[in-house]
Amino acid sequence: MPVDVQNMQKVFARPNSLTDAKSTYCPGCHHGILTRIIAQTIDELGIVERTIGIVPVGCAVFAYRWYRCDAIQAAHGRASAVATGVKRANPSLIVFSYQGDGDFASIGTAESIHAANRGENITVIFVNNQVYGMTGGEMAPTSLVGQKTTTTPQGRDPKLFGYPIRFSEMIAQLDAPVYVTRQALYDTKRIKEATKAIKKAFTNQVKERGYSLVEVLATCPTNWRMKPIDANKHVANVVEKTYRLGDLVNRG
Amino acid sequence: MGKRLLLRGNEVIAEAAIRAGCQCYFAYPITPQAELLQHMAVNMPRLGRTFIQAESELAAINMVYGAASAGVRTMTSSSSPGISLKQEGISYLAGSNLPAVIVNIVRGGPGLGDIAPSQCDYFQATKGGGHGDYHMIVLGPSTVPEAGQLTMLAFELADQYRTPVMLLADGMLGQMMEPVELPEPIEISSLPQKEWATNGAKGRDPNIILSFDLDPEVLKQMNLILQERYRQIEAKEVRYEETATGDADIAIVAYGTVARIVKTVIKMARAEGIKLGLFRPITLWPFPSQALKKLSEKVATVLTVEMSAGQMWEDVRLAIAERAETPFYGEMGGVIPTPQRILSEVKKHAG
Amino acid sequence: MARGAVVIDRERCKGCGLCIAACPKKVLAFSSELNNSGYNVVHMEHPEDCIGCSFCALTCPDVAIEVYREEISV
């Protein structure tokens, strides 16, 4: 029997900037958590009326449905360039580019690096789940050594497919970025820290400090062939060994 | 009468874009388009507008996609190989109903080719170089002043029809200098508001710019909107010029730099008693098929002359079919046909 | 100590179970019900133990959980 909450105080609800659309992500997928955090950040900063979401090609291609703000769907890999165009056209807009690891760190390598190198005053959210989710679990540049994917069935052999690319570390070498951090969402503590990092990244843009990048280690239960809770543990116990969490640049 | 200035085609196109209210320009260095980029580098920042030398032509067209979505007039320019890199972005612009101007200062191809003038990108421009059923309006100037006028027109048509528009010039037009009277600058604030733009959902529902839907029926509807737009453009925006075709026995179809050369050939031919005329398409898409068909009912031969292996030639034959002879003469690799050489072709067919 | 409660949107829940693991008081569990999408919906197995800490809601990828709290003067 449902508990009567009539005379109780609501302490947590869906963020206002989140639409009512039902999420298309798989059960347990961290894209959903991240989407909620971004919507919550937009609420807290009161910027929904001037926020523009740039959505990639990949599992997040439907991300324009989740937020009550304008959004643009960008060609695969080009979201950081599209974000540049929007921001330069109208600097009063708050522009965030939401990209998966294939989008950001494979096909979009050049656009990603050069938007950062120009110090575009945008906020980039880079979701690293080490596979191509939407297309069926292929290897990504971020796939771990030995990771089995649908294009590395024997496990990723660095001699043939190279090593996991630490893209945030590459971006951190550039002079322009003001904030570069790697976060995760595999437990409540990480979720709270990631929320702080994302709020800082958006705040940097609101205060016109320059380019911020938040890489988020995320799960892909479907293509990892793991239960959501085990996928969370996998990030904590395995993935985090290759991708160190924490701030890499913090000049904001 | 405005001041007449001696300017290079690339500079006139750049200056015309500025006067047309282009607020964001993104491009990458490539000959023979370089002076256009350099003119923008000097003048856009001076006017408080956006100039970015992008990391690639591909990045540039996607910056155009962003700026166009935000509702401002925006342009990129390049030359043949760079334009090939922009094709995916152009398909996205078309699919997302976004206005933008793309300038191609065509050079010899394929591959790296050379930096001499050519017309070998006609197919890419008019038949769709990217994926999907789409068209761009393609304008073909044949003089430096006309390049400026058609640049202004390109921005107007792009906004009017919410579509990418290409200015298809060539290396000669880009780098040749001619006296020009530049068009009057427009007031950016006078431009109509773009209700569909993603410039902040304030007091309205969010606007979404996208070119996809996984439901085939919905994507079909999106395509029908495009096709209806193209029918409207074909009905209203065809432009061409006829020279000395009134009494002509033979006509040449040529555009851009070649059309200009043919105007000299007309004088030479008529001096030798050959009644030659010129049919010059200005809109390469929509192609002036009806007008060309009418002309082909009056002359026995319609010779197509291009700086390519024969691309517009196909549209000429489609328009004319069996009504007249449709021979072809072309030069490739950036070789520019001389008046004498064209005249000898005319004589071969003048009968 | 606060007394809390959660309301789970049956149709948004995808039965991923992350909230069950996140709850410090082991309040949540899979119910036997399936929603319209055929997912096994989570419910409060031990509502009396809920302290309204929102951990479940923070971790829910489908933002399907609303959290309520009632301050009890101890």
Side-chain angles (χ1 to χ4, degrees):
Chain A
M1 52 67 191
V3 172
D4 174 9
V5 294
Q6 244 50 43
N7 42 34
M8 297 176 81
Q9 210 224 333
K10 189 187 284 187
V11 293
F12 187 98
R14 287 173 67 85
N16 298 327
S17 305
L18 212 55
T19 65
D20 298 329
K22 271 186 77 178
S23 147
T24 51
Y25 296 122
C26 303
C29 169
H30 285 187
H31 271 303
I33 305 170
L34 192 45
T35 302
R36 191 259 310 155
I37 294 172
I38 290 170
Q40 187 177 306
T41 304
I42 291 172
D43 283 359
E44 284 165 13
L45 295 174
I47 52 175
V48 72
E49 287 187 337
R50 62 187 180 111
T51 299
I52 313 291
I54 314 297
V55 307
V57 169
C59 293
V61 71
F62 297 112
Y64 62 89
R65 298 180 187 172
W66 318 142
Y67 305 103
R68 291 189 201 283
C69 62
D70 286 349
I72 302 166
Q73 197 282 312
H76 192 36
R78 319 308 173 192
S80 289
V82 172
T84 299
V86 177
K87 188 70 180 185
R88 293 295 188 105
N90 183 346
S92 71
L93 297 173
I94 300 300
V95 182
F96 74 93
S97 179
Y98 187 99
Q99 301 180 246
D101 39 19
D103 195 280
F104 187 74
S106 189
I107 188 170
T109 297
E111 285 80 1
S112 304
I113 288 178
H114 286 280
N117 196 51
R118 288 188 302 267
E120 299 293 342
N121 185 27
I122 58 177
T123 305
V124 179
I125 310 290
F126 157 36
V127 182
N128 174 0
N129 61 9
Q130 301 95 51
V131 283
Y132 281 73
M134 173 70 91
T135 46
E138 291 85 353
M139 181 195 91
T142 48
S143 294
L144 307 181
V145 171
Q147 180 176 343
K148 285 192 170 58
T149 73
T150 49
T151 45
T152 56
Q154 313 305 325
R156 180 179 189 175
D157 175 353
K159 285 195 294 303
L160 298 174
F161 295 97
Y163 289 87
I165 195 165
R166 293 186 189 82
F167 213 88
S168 291
E169 277 77 356
M170 284 167 41
I171 297 281
Q173 306 311 311
L174 305 173
D175 294 341
V178 295
Y179 185 50
V180 179
T181 182
R182 180 177 292 117
Q183 302 289 324
L185 300 168
Y186 56 75
D187 64 24
T188 315
K189 177 169 171 287
R190 291 296 173 200
I191 288 172
K192 290 187 175 182
E193 277 164 17
T195 303
K196 266 192 252 129
I198 285 165
K199 182 150 189 194
K200 177 166 185 51
F202 272 88
T203 304
N204 280 344
Q205 181 173 177
V206 170
K207 294 208 180 324
E208 297 173 11
R209 294 194 187 116
Y211 179 91
S212 297
L213 170 67
V214 181
E215 176 181 349
V216 179
L217 297 184
T219 62
C220 182
T222 298
N223 287 299
W224 291 2
R225 307 227 177 306
M226 292 178 192
K227 290 217 301 272
I229 192 59
D230 298 331
N232 277 20
K233 293 193 182 89
H234 177 72
V235 177
N237 306 329
V238 178
V239 179
E240 215 183 300
K241 291 195 173 44
T242 294
Y243 297 105
R244 211 172 40 74
L245 296 181
D247 291 356
L248 299 163
V249 169
N250 191 357
R251 293 189 267 265
Chain B
M1 251 281 280
K3 275 192 308 185
R4 284 168 67 77
L5 303 168
L6 191 59
L7 287 171
R8 215 187 285 268
N10 280 330
E11 289 153 344
V12 168
I13 294 168
E15 192 46 38
I18 289 172
R19 291 164 183 241
C22 174
Q23 282 183 268
C24 290
Y25 171 79
F26 312 101
Y28 187 82
I30 186 168
T31 304
Q33 164 261 184
E35 298 83 358
L36 202 163
L37 181 71
Q38 288 152 20
H39 184 89
M40 296 301 250
V42 169
N43 292 288
M44 288 290 271
R46 187 172 57 77
L47 296 164
R49 302 184 192 178
T50 295
F51 167 86
I52 295 185
Q53 178 181 311
E55 58 273 26
S56 73
E57 293 92 343
L58 191 154
I61 192 73
N62 281 286
M63 293 176 190
V64 162
Y65 185 85
S69 299
V72 302
R73 284 191 163 182
T74 179
M75 180 172 100
T76 185
S77 62
S78 185
S79 174
S80 307
I83 296 293
S84 291
L85 286 176
K86 293 181 192 289
Q87 293 306 311
E88 181 200 38
I90 291 171
S91 172
Y92 268 73
L93 286 168
S96 307
N97 307 302
L98 287 173
V101 174
I102 301 111
V103 179
N104 184 1
I105 309 294
V106 183
R107 60 188 253 175
L112 187 57
D114 65 14
I115 55 171
S118 176
Q119 297 182 323
C120 53
D121 296 355
Y122 178 93
F123 279 157
Q124 181 189 55
T126 60
K127 305 303 175 189
H131 55 290
D133 284 307
Y134 76 94
H135 281 289
M136 286 187 290
I137 295 173
V138 182
L139 307 174
S142 72
T143 68
V144 167
E146 189 180 34
Q149 290 142 17
L150 292 182
T151 299
M152 296 286 278
L153 178 64
F155 279 98
E156 282 154 30
L157 293 175
D159 278 353
Q160 182 185 343
Y161 291 98
R162 284 181 64 183
T163 179
V165 176
M166 175 171 279
L167 191 83
L168 194 67
D170 62 50
M172 178 192 262
L173 276 166
Q175 298 195 322
M176 183 168 64
M177 296 184 92
E178 278 193 82
V180 173
E181 192 187 312
L182 288 166
E184 280 310 305
I186 59 137
E187 257 313 304
I188 290 181
S189 54
S190 70
L191 293 173
Q193 259 306 321
K194 293 173 179 171
E195 303 311 326
W196 47 265
T198 51
N199 48 20
K202 190 170 176 31
R204 62 167 170 76
D205 288 336
N207 285 333
I208 310 293
I209 300 287
L210 54 77
S211 58
F212 88 103
D213 199 291
L214 296 189
D215 176 349
E217 283 305 326
V218 175
L219 189 62
K220 177 182 170 183
Q221 293 311 317
M222 291 161 75
N223 268 280
L224 288 175
I225 290 168
L226 292 184
Q227 291 305 318
E228 174 49 27
R229 168 178 305 152
Y230 300 142
R231 297 299 83 75
Q232 293 290 331
I233 294 170
E234 280 170 336
K236 297 181 189 137
E237 303 304 340
V238 168
R239 287 165 171 80
Y240 61 92
E241 177 195 60
E242 291 192 43
T243 307
T245 53
D247 64 347
D249 301 324
I250 177 170
I252 286 180
V253 182
Y255 71 94
T257 292
V258 175
R260 196 178 178 153
I261 299 168
V262 169
K263 288 188 176 174
T264 304
V265 179
I266 288 175
K267 293 193 191 83
M268 295 163 69
R270 285 180 177 263
E272 295 182 30
I274 300 169
K275 293 203 189 93
L276 173 67
L278 165 67
F279 182 94
R280 175 172 77 94
I282 296 169
T283 52
L284 301 174
W285 196 89
F287 190 72
S289 305
Q290 296 311 326
L292 183 55
K293 186 175 146 206
K294 247 202 248 85
L295 176 63
S296 69
E297 284 150 2
K298 290 194 312 184
V299 295
T301 305
V302 175
L303 169 65
T304 302
V305 182
E306 287 178 83
M307 291 195 292
S308 75
Q311 295 185 26
M312 180 180 64
W313 183 31
E314 289 194 4
D315 284 335
V316 170
R317 280 184 290 157
L318 273 172
I320 293 173
E322 305 313 320
R323 267 175 295 282
E325 289 304 312
T326 51
F328 171 76
Y329 161 59
E331 288 296 349
M332 292 178 287
V335 169
I336 301 168
T338 62
Q340 296 71 16
R341 184 67 182 74
I342 295 174
L343 183 59
S344 68
E345 282 301 312
V346 169
K347 285 178 180 167
K348 246 193 263 171
H349 302 287
Chain C
M1 257 292 286
R3 199 170 67 75
V6 296
V7 172
I8 297 175
D9 180 329
R10 280 173 44 80
E11 290 313 318
R12 284 191 192 279
C13 174
K14 292 184 183 146
C16 75
L18 290 184
C19 57
I20 298 171
C23 176
K25 295 292 180 187
K26 300 287 163 263
V27 170
L28 302 171
F30 286 111
S31 73
S32 53
E33 280 173 77
L34 299 180
N35 67 13
N36 295 338
S37 311
Y39 288 117
N40 207 269
V41 181
V42 170
H43 75 146
M44 289 203 285
E45 187 87 0
H46 308 292
E48 65 289 356
D49 298 335
C50 175
I51 57 170
C53 68
S54 300
F55 277 22
C56 57
L58 289 177
T59 196
C60 175
D62 292 278
V63 207
I65 302 174
E66 279 186 345
V67 183
Y68 295 80
R69 197 183 296 158
E70 185 186 55
E71 291 308 323
I72 316 166
S73 47
V74 175

